[in-house]
Amino acid sequence: MGTATTLDIPASYYRDTVAVGLDACPPLQGDRRADVCVIGGGVTGCSAALHLAERGYSVRLLEARAVGHGASGRSGGQILPGLGTDIATVERALGRERARSIWEMSREAVRLTAGLVKRHAIPCDLAWGFLHAAVKPRHVRELQAFQERMARDYDYSDMRWLEGPALRERVVTDAYPGALYEGEGGHLHPLNYTLGLAHAAQRAGVVIHEGSAARKIRRGQPARVETDGGSVTADFVVVAGNAYLGGLVPELKGRTMRAANYMVATAPLSEAQAASVLPCNDALADANFVLDYYRLSADRRLIYGGEVSYDGREPRGLRERMDAKIARLFPVLEGVAIDYRWGGDVAITLNRAPDFGRIGHNLYYAQGYSGHGMALAGLAGQLMSDAIVGQSERFDLFAAMPHRRFPGGDRLRTPLLVLATTFYKLRDRL
């Protein structure tokens, strides 16, 4: 294996614990030909490239910065069934049966993640166990109703309600009146997972070009994707830029918004401290709209994420608020240093459901996972591969989900979203 690439990967705990090396990924120079050009080196793009190459397609992947530069390499690393929105949103839009199919595919996304990790021996510290934690009585009612509904309407019974001593066996804090434990959920090192997919794609024949931002897509059959250093002419184009897409595809403008999320990693905990936080090594997310989430790393650091910004500026008092949250949750960690602080952007849609689709006959895209893409993005890449091969029924099921642009246009879109989020933040406090 070659030396791990760190070109333009932002500083984080993940960057400093890279365990996967890539072969050389030189910037694109000159005009090249491929069956498929993939734009974006996150989980979506790397998965699409890998699955296409394994089917015999010639693939070139263009990444503006470095593989794993975006959300795929900076996230909380949580993998679990479902979408960034409640399954009820899907059911209202598409009906019960199609919602059931999408739910089952979200479970398949988790299994696919585990299968890729195993098949390609990706050293990403995959572990199982997830807690959906209630912060207040309203959340208790909502989570218990969700558990009942999923068992009744979706034949999904892999969630168990915990409270009192049973809950403290998995998270040692008095902050939560109850939680749903989900055995199918888990967590991993997201950057190593993304790099592992990219390395597997290289072994399958994919040519990766880092430092090669796609500047223009000239539509046609074939299409032509242009960078500053050259171009790729391809029969198909897969657009997987997500929050970092910019205005490359005008039809997608306004269908997602960039939201910055922030994370910290503590110094390594002792075995006793780790056992006094998450004794079973589960991941956890609370039930607030602007939620907090955390897990332990393989070297027993608490990796904690939360807060949000839509205007590209770090929220005022962010450091103090995040440190205070950890202190309230786990007094046992008093005095433990914070070794790393970082942030990154995710793409959210108006309804928080992922946005899949095709433009014309040969341009496919998947975006807008709304903070729930670590597993689903891998499936999105596989489904786009299926669709290019000619098996598009499952991709089309996701693509049938209706999406609207965020209101307000270029000038008012962000202020309106901030205003709406302020309402939900206030509701979180009630």
Side-chain angles (χ1 to χ4, degrees):
M1 224 178 261
T3 302
T5 176
T6 55
L7 170 70
D8 270 340
I9 294 179
S12 72
Y13 164 74
Y14 299 134
R15 189 187 71 176
D16 284 359
T17 52
V18 164
V20 179
L22 299 184
D23 299 331
C25 303
L28 178 68
Q29 296 293 331
D31 299 324
R32 306 298 180 198
R33 184 69 168 85
D35 295 327
V36 184
C37 179
V38 176
I39 301 171
V43 171
T44 304
C46 291
S47 173
L50 171 61
H51 284 98
L52 285 161
E54 288 180 334
R55 284 172 149 148
Y57 285 72
S58 63
V59 182
R60 287 186 182 260
L61 186 151
L62 305 177
E63 165 54 46
R65 309 293 287 273
V67 170
H69 171 273
S72 294
R74 301 189 230 174
S75 77
Q78 300 183 350
I79 56 169
L80 63 157
L83 311 178
T85 191
D86 191 281
I87 196 65
T89 301
V90 182
E91 190 173 312
R92 286 192 296 270
L94 302 179
R96 172 75 55 80
E97 287 309 307
R98 288 197 286 179
R100 282 174 61 97
S101 296
I102 284 177
W103 170 258
E104 287 303 322
M105 280 194 281
S106 80
R107 295 179 68 190
E108 178 188 340
V110 175
R111 296 192 298 271
L112 174 66
T113 303
L116 289 168
V117 169
K118 181 177 181 180
R119 180 154 60 95
H120 299 291
I122 301 174
C124 61
D125 310 317
L126 177 61
W128 297 105
F130 190 89
L131 293 163
H132 305 264
V135 181
K136 57 200 64 174
R138 170 170 57 85
H139 295 156
V140 171
R141 296 190 296 272
E142 292 170 352
L143 286 170
Q144 289 178 335
F146 173 67
Q147 179 188 16
E148 293 170 5
R149 180 177 186 182
M150 295 308 294
R152 181 186 67 241
D153 297 339
Y154 289 82
D155 299 321
Y156 185 66
S157 300
D158 192 38
M159 291 187 288
R160 187 169 79 251
W161 180 253
L162 303 176
E163 57 186 33
L167 178 57
R168 288 183 67 87
E169 289 178 1
R170 306 203 80 94
V171 57
V172 188
T173 179
D174 296 323
Y176 309 124
L180 281 177
Y181 172 76
E182 187 166 19
E184 286 195 20
H187 57 94
L188 48 65
H189 188 302
L191 181 54
N192 279 333
Y193 174 61
T194 305
L195 291 170
L197 291 180
H199 186 256
Q202 287 182 318
R203 287 186 298 177
V206 175
V207 179
I208 298 176
H209 299 285
E210 294 183 320
S212 301
R215 301 299 185 190
K216 187 176 183 61
I217 303 174
R218 296 194 181 276
R219 310 285 177 84
Q221 293 182 313
R224 188 165 179 252
V225 182
E226 298 176 352
T227 73
D228 291 337
S231 68
V232 178
T233 300
D235 299 317
F236 297 93
V237 176
V238 169
V239 176
N242 207 27
Y244 297 85
L245 185 61
L248 183 65
V249 183
E251 293 93 330
L252 301 183
K253 190 174 183 181
R255 291 172 71 98
T256 64
M257 288 281 289
R258 289 176 69 157
N261 215 232
Y262 301 92
M263 301 188 66
V264 303
T266 68
L269 308 182
S270 67
E271 289 187 19
Q273 287 173 319
S276 297
V277 174
L278 290 164
C280 299
N281 195 29
D282 300 316
L284 182 147
D286 69 36
N288 280 329
F289 181 80
V290 181
L291 57 81
D292 291 339
Y293 50 91
Y294 53 89
R295 64 183 182 89
L296 294 175
S297 65
D299 57 351
R300 295 196 303 267
R301 298 173 187 267
L302 180 68
I303 298 181
Y304 193 99
E307 300 294 324
V308 68
S309 171
Y310 297 104
D311 60 9
R313 292 176 294 182
E314 182 177 296
R316 186 176 303 171
L318 173 68
R319 178 182 296 242
E320 293 77 13
R321 282 204 307 277
M322 293 191 73
D323 293 359
K325 287 178 178 180
I326 294 173
R328 285 196 301 270
L329 281 171
F330 304 113
V332 70
L333 299 187
E334 181 180 358
V336 173
I338 302 295
D339 281 357
Y340 295 91
R341 299 179 187 272
W342 71 95
D345 291 345
V346 299
I348 61 172
T349 62
L350 191 60
N351 63 5
R352 300 302 197 270
D355 180 16
F356 295 8
R358 63 168 63 78
I359 298 172
H361 297 291
N362 62 347
L363 190 153
Y364 291 81
Y365 69 89
Q367 61 178 13
Y369 303 105
S370 304
H372 204 100
M374 205 67 231
L376 195 60
L379 182 69
Q382 183 187 63
L383 294 182
M384 286 190 284
S385 169
D386 292 343
I388 287 170
V389 171
Q391 301 166 344
S392 64
E393 296 84 359
R394 299 193 329 140
F395 177 82
D396 290 342
L397 186 56
F398 272 98
M401 188 71 194
H403 287 276
R404 293 187 294 120
R405 287 178 168 80
F406 282 87
D410 290 343
R411 292 183 60 189
L412 295 178
R413 189 175 293 132
T414 297
L416 287 174
L417 183 57
V418 170
L419 184 63
T421 303
T422 300
F423 166 78
Y424 283 107
K425 285 182 177 179
L426 292 172
R427 186 169 182 264
D428 284 343
R429 296 173 185 173
L430 298 177

